[in-house]
Amino acid sequence: MSLAVRVIPCLDVDAGRVVKGVNFENLRDAGDPVELACRYGQQGADELTFLDVTASSGNRETTYDVVRRTAEEVFIPLTVGGGVRTPDDVDKLLRAGADKVAVNTAAIADPTLITAIADRFGSQVLVLSVDARRVQGDTRTESGYEVTTHGGRRGTGIDAVQWAIEGAERGAGEILLNSMDADGTYQGFDVEMFTAVRREVGIPLIASGGAHEPGDFTEIAQHGADAVLAASVFHFGKLTVNDVKDHMADHGIEVRR
């Protein structure tokens, strides 16, 4: 049975406001998270992802209040990430209204966190968020891609493909693969990097970073994306969720209506 490809608007939140920049820098205000979440719910978004983009770098907890308000208004699955460091953080987010929780920086520091969360809450709750880029400078990895942390500001030297494999083995239910090279650039998804991970990982894979037009979403879905995620094109009105679904459906990709 083929599963419909999910369309997921992503709300990057900083200090209670949705923001968007290029490669996580030069952030500009994109509106109130609850208002935007309601808009996307009405447009037919399959899920929403809510990322507190400065939680790890600013060493702050995720804004539980915004999660609660969003969950009260919008009745589609909500994934929340940013500053999640312990299974207890996951518990708090689920109680606040999240359906799934994304981990990134803390899991790199301690990979056993993935196993601990999956064992306690189930793999279906856990999304491993991987911010990856082509290696730079003297860094070398087997795949040519490395994992970054702190909103893409720090390279780790960890092979992105190997990390995705390990995350799946440790119990992540799905992987959110974000191209830091493409993020916010409107150049299209990084098909090459996505394909490198897709070849090795069997769990659901969400493609993120660089979407510009409906064809970008269709292309990455044709390369095996289980879900497509974007921010800027939705927040600033360039595309609606239906624009993306229509294009994918016209090209033979199953979508939810």
Side-chain angles (χ1 to χ4, degrees):
M1 184 184 78
S2 66
L3 295 173
V5 174
R6 293 166 284 148
V7 179
I8 308 175
C10 180
L11 288 75
D12 296 324
V13 177
D14 181 17
R17 299 288 292 180
V18 177
V19 295
K20 195 59 202 164
V22 177
N23 308 124
F24 281 74
E25 295 181 346
N26 301 317
L27 301 178
R28 58 179 171 145
D29 189 278
D32 176 73
V34 181
E35 287 177 16
L36 282 172
C38 289
R39 181 202 303 170
Y40 298 137
Q42 292 162 357
Q43 284 182 13
D46 298 301
E47 297 180 14
L48 289 171
T49 292
F50 170 107
L51 297 177
D52 191 334
V53 294
T54 50
S56 292
S57 57
N59 205 31
R60 292 182 298 102
E61 288 197 322
T62 304
T63 318
Y64 295 107
D65 174 57
V66 179
V67 176
R68 284 190 199 93
R69 290 191 294 122
T70 303
E72 285 167 6
E73 298 286 340
V74 183
F75 304 104
I76 56 178
L78 178 63
T79 298
V80 183
V84 176
R85 297 179 181 87
T86 67
D88 286 343
D89 291 338
V90 176
D91 187 58
K92 286 182 195 171
L93 285 168
L94 295 175
R95 290 176 189 277
D99 298 280
K100 294 187 265 190
V101 175
V103 296
N104 186 339
T105 301
I108 293 164
D110 179 13
T112 63
L113 176 64
I114 300 170
T115 315
I117 293 170
D119 286 350
R120 180 167 164 186
F121 303 102
S123 290
Q124 77 283 352
V125 161
L126 179 57
V127 179
L128 178 61
S129 181
V130 179
D131 292 335
R133 69 183 180 196
R134 282 168 173 75
V135 292
Q136 300 175 356
D138 296 330
T139 305
R140 294 286 179 270
T141 65
E142 187 178 340
S143 69
Y145 303 100
E146 74 167 325
V147 178
T148 67
T149 62
H150 297 79
R153 288 185 284 276
R154 293 187 197 170
T156 63
I158 297 169
D159 188 298
V161 175
Q162 291 303 317
W163 177 234
I165 293 169
E166 182 177 347
E169 290 173 346
R170 285 183 177 275
E174 56 188 340
I175 290 173
L176 168 55
L177 181 63
N178 186 38
S179 167
M180 298 311 300
D181 296 320
D183 182 79
T185 64
Y186 297 128
Q187 299 295 307
F189 291 101
D190 189 333
V191 175
E192 193 178 346
M193 184 178 78
F194 181 88
T195 305
V197 176
R198 176 78 288 172
R199 276 196 299 266
E200 303 296 334
V201 173
I203 62 173
L205 204 49
I206 305 165
S208 169
H212 179 48
E213 51 198 20
D216 295 333
F217 296 90
T218 297
E219 180 185 25
I220 203 73
Q222 289 168 335
H223 281 84
D226 298 280
V228 290
L229 179 145
S232 304
V233 290
F234 294 138
H235 299 339
F236 300 119
K238 179 173 172 55
L239 296 175
T240 67
V241 171
N242 280 325
D243 291 337
V244 173
K245 289 192 173 187
D246 287 345
H247 194 278
M248 290 200 294
D250 288 345
H251 289 76
I253 294 163
E254 186 180 341
V255 295
R256 295 176 187 168
R257 294 295 192 182

